[in-house]
Amino acid sequence: MSVKRDSFSVSITVGAYGSAFGASAVAADFSVLQACLLSLLLFSGASQFAVVGVIAAGGTPLNAIATSTLLGTRNGLYGLRLAPLLKLRGWKRVVAAQITIDESIGVALAQKDEAQMRKGFWYTGFGVFFFWNLFTLAGALGAQAIGDPSAWGLDAAVPAAFLGLLWPRLSDRKSWVLAGFAILLALTLTPNVPAGIPIISCTALAIIIGWRK
């Protein structure tokens, strides 16, 4: 399968998930414009859902930013991996940083030679960016059009989305153990601390356990 076909199949599949984000954002009382700007400027699925989830739960903007930042730190590590390959300077580095996501890195590293890796990165990064933003708008407009999102169950979209992101990654015993401890920690903290703190604490727990491995 060619790198273009790889990139397109990943882009359309992942991009379509942006509709869930758009609907989730409107369900959390974000405007259509705010939802679209989050996708356009932040452009990191898990981090975007974190912002919406924390705000929807009554958390402060500071908690939302902290949670989103923790979830997005992996993109910086991706950049360190790809920098020697891309060898970019100036404004091109800024553009590349914006589309450095799980999918663009995954397709790039799956290729056999450096030229194909670079194509995989750019094609997938721009492809996901286009479709994610397009479907964010569609999801936000659709949720706005139906009236009260909670009446349709869209208020459950954020936790459902996080579960969808997490489930495929539970591939070994250590992952399940970590998930179990995270659930216990979140359930213990949620009634007693401000919204957003349980997510930050569970992220810190994952870092600690990962470091000890």
Side-chain angles (χ1 to χ4, degrees):
M1 186 177 290
S2 69
V3 64
K4 288 184 179 181
R5 191 177 302 174
D6 286 345
S7 299
F8 180 77
S9 62
V10 170
S11 297
I12 189 66
T13 302
V14 174
Y17 194 54
S19 59
F21 171 74
S24 300
V26 170
D29 292 329
F30 284 71
S31 68
V32 173
L33 177 60
Q34 288 171 328
C36 290
L37 286 176
L38 270 173
S39 282
L40 186 67
L41 301 176
L42 180 54
F43 186 52
S44 181
S47 295
Q48 290 178 225
F49 278 110
V51 170
V52 170
V54 171
I55 296 298
T60 66
L62 183 61
N63 284 343
I65 292 171
T67 304
S68 175
T69 300
L70 283 172
L71 290 173
T73 51
R74 71 190 187 283
N75 293 344
L77 299 177
Y78 293 157
L80 293 175
R81 173 66 179 85
L82 264 290
L85 172 69
L86 298 176
K87 300 176 183 178
L88 301 174
R89 295 183 180 277
W91 62 269
K92 291 183 179 180
R93 291 172 64 93
V94 178
V95 175
Q98 181 68 356
I99 60 171
T100 299
I101 53 176
D102 295 338
E103 293 75 22
S104 60
I105 297 298
V107 173
L109 297 181
Q111 306 309 312
K112 295 181 179 180
D113 59 70
E114 290 191 356
Q116 294 295 93
M117 290 172 72
R118 283 190 286 269
K119 289 181 180 180
F121 171 80
W122 290 112
Y123 291 162
T124 308
F126 283 127
V128 174
F129 185 83
F130 173 77
F131 286 114
W132 181 269
N133 280 278
L134 178 65
F135 280 102
T136 293
L137 176 61
L141 290 174
Q144 186 183 59
I146 64 175
D148 181 12
S150 62
W152 297 80
L154 290 180
D155 53 333
V158 173
F162 267 118
L163 182 59
L165 290 170
L166 172 66
W167 192 262
R169 300 178 185 275
L170 300 178
S171 57
D172 54 49
R173 183 174 178 275
K174 289 182 179 178
S175 297
W176 281 101
V177 170
L178 172 58
F181 278 118
I183 290 171
L184 291 175
L185 179 61
L187 290 175
T188 301
L189 292 178
T190 297
N192 303 306
V193 299
I197 298 299
I199 297 177
I200 295 173
S201 300
C202 289
T203 303
L205 176 65
I207 292 172
I208 293 170
I209 292 179
W211 184 271
R212 290 179 63 86
K213 290 200 300 183

